[in-house]
Amino acid sequence: MDGILVINKPAGMTSHDVINKLRRKYNQKKFGHTGTLDPDATGVLVVLCGKACKALQFLNDTDKKYVSSIQLGYFTTTDDIHGEITQQKDINLDFNFDEVLRSFLGKQSQQVPMTSAKKIKGKKLMDYQRENIDIEPVYQDIEIYSIHSINKDDLSFEVHCSSGTYVRSICRDLALKTNNGGCMKSLQRTAVGRFTIDMAQKIEDEPVLYPVSMVLDHLPFVEYESILEVYQGKQIHLNQDEPLVCITENNEPVAIYENIGNGIYKSKRGLW
């Protein structure tokens, strides 16, 4: 089975659990997701199947959309309601929810939660936390494209953001901005790039496969006549100046080729 599955991940499963279930269901080893979703979160998990796994490094359309809600009153070790409470505070509701959300718009440096799998000096942040090792806060550059409230009563909101954004950090930081304790109460991923929750299916459903070309269309598609040279991994000459191109046969992606100068391209990754 080759192509792209859009899975609606249920709560209580890790992203790797989903991959393992798909491997057993289809008796196939080659499955890989394009971005981890927290075990307690639900929503869109994009899964590459079979030959499509070879395209993973070339994915470009990786922005995310989420719907989340905030729990006020306390901070936790994981910045969500499932962690241990580290500090309790009286709840302050004297703030404009939409106005505070808008303050998160744009490019910024976001503090990565300690529960993250992000590695520092070869070790995951969550492992430092598990071993009670104190390290300096870690930040990474992100961008919030849009953010707005859905329901002010339960402090729920929708956010469209760059890959690498932690919604639990938004919830924690909003609490800090409003003189509250707070953490993430719920999380649903509603889109990864062009793949939306409306396209997502249960693991048990009959598979709806999307073509790998959907995640490669940011590259120029080049139909190359001497396609055997491509299958043999030979260098080819193209009337192109793009750094990367997708070589196709009958409009199907066959290989990614890299510009090495003077119209000469070398094979970077076969997709067959």
Side-chain angles (χ1 to χ4, degrees):
M1 184 167 72
D2 304 309
I4 300 167
L5 278 174
V6 185
I7 298 296
N8 189 351
K9 190 191 83 65
M13 290 183 70
T14 67
S15 301
H16 192 63
D17 288 339
V18 173
I19 296 300
N20 284 337
K21 289 197 73 169
L22 291 172
R23 285 172 176 163
R24 291 193 295 269
K25 179 179 179 179
Y26 297 108
N27 193 28
Q28 175 176 305
K29 289 185 177 180
K30 289 187 177 181
F31 288 96
H33 61 77
T34 66
T36 300
L37 190 55
D38 293 342
D40 295 307
T42 64
V44 175
L45 185 71
V46 178
V47 178
L48 304 181
C49 315
K51 296 176 183 178
C53 292
K54 297 179 180 181
L56 180 61
Q57 71 188 95
F58 305 106
L59 265 59
N60 186 52
D61 194 7
T62 56
D63 292 348
K64 312 290 198 307
K65 288 184 179 179
Y66 296 94
V67 169
S68 182
S69 61
I70 302 170
Q71 174 66 54
L72 295 181
Y74 54 87
F75 293 111
T76 71
T77 53
T78 57
D79 294 325
D80 67 13
I81 61 172
H82 304 289
E84 296 180 12
I85 295 175
T86 58
Q87 181 184 1
Q88 291 184 307
K89 294 188 69 173
D90 291 338
I91 295 176
N92 167 44
L93 294 177
D94 186 22
F95 63 91
N96 184 307
F97 188 39
D98 280 307
E99 186 176 308
V100 179
L101 287 174
R102 284 194 293 272
S103 71
F104 287 92
L105 285 170
K107 295 180 179 181
Q108 58 205 267
S109 184
Q110 184 186 63
Q111 184 178 340
V112 178
M114 283 300 297
T115 189
S116 165
K118 186 176 179 65
K119 288 187 176 181
I120 300 299
K121 297 181 179 179
K123 193 170 185 174
K124 295 177 181 177
L125 286 179
M126 63 176 67
D127 291 334
Y128 286 107
Q129 185 183 56
R130 191 179 296 118
E131 297 170 19
N132 293 317
I133 299 174
D134 291 330
I135 64 170
E136 290 295 316
V138 176
Y139 292 84
Q140 66 182 17
D141 293 334
I142 64 156
E143 184 170 3
I144 306 295
Y145 306 116
S146 67
I147 186 168
H148 61 86
S149 65
I150 297 174
N151 187 327
K152 294 182 177 65
D153 292 334
D154 67 359
L155 298 179
S156 61
F157 63 95
E158 181 179 56
V159 59
H160 178 199
C161 53
S162 63
S163 181
T165 301
Y166 290 92
V167 179
R168 65 183 63 217
S169 291
I170 295 175
C171 296
R172 175 203 64 214
D173 293 344
L174 185 142
L176 288 168
K177 286 186 176 187
T178 58
N179 193 29
N180 278 291
C183 58
M184 186 176 73
K185 182 165 62 176
S186 64
L187 182 68
Q188 179 191 39
R189 188 155 68 191
T190 56
V192 177
R194 75 196 64 192
F195 300 105
T196 65
I197 194 68
D198 294 336
M199 301 166 69
Q201 58 182 134
K202 297 178 181 177
I203 300 171
E204 299 78 17
D205 292 342
E206 285 299 309
V208 176
L209 282 172
Y210 296 94
V212 69
S213 57
M214 287 184 67
V215 295
L216 295 174
D217 62 4
H218 59 288
L219 301 175
F221 279 23
V222 178
E223 194 84 359
Y224 190 69
E225 290 184 1
S226 303
I227 196 66
L228 182 59
E229 296 178 7
V230 174
Y231 283 108
Q232 293 172 340
K234 293 182 178 179
Q235 291 186 2
I236 60 177
H237 185 274
L238 299 174
N239 185 26
Q240 294 278 339
D241 58 8
E242 297 288 343
L244 292 176
V245 298
C246 180
I247 304 298
T248 61
E249 180 183 22
N250 299 322
N251 297 316
E252 292 296 323
V254 171
I256 306 299
Y257 264 66
E258 182 179 24
N259 190 344
I260 59 174
N262 299 318
I264 304 298
Y265 282 74
K266 70 174 183 179
S267 179
K268 189 170 180 67
R269 190 69 160 99
L271 302 174
W272 62 87

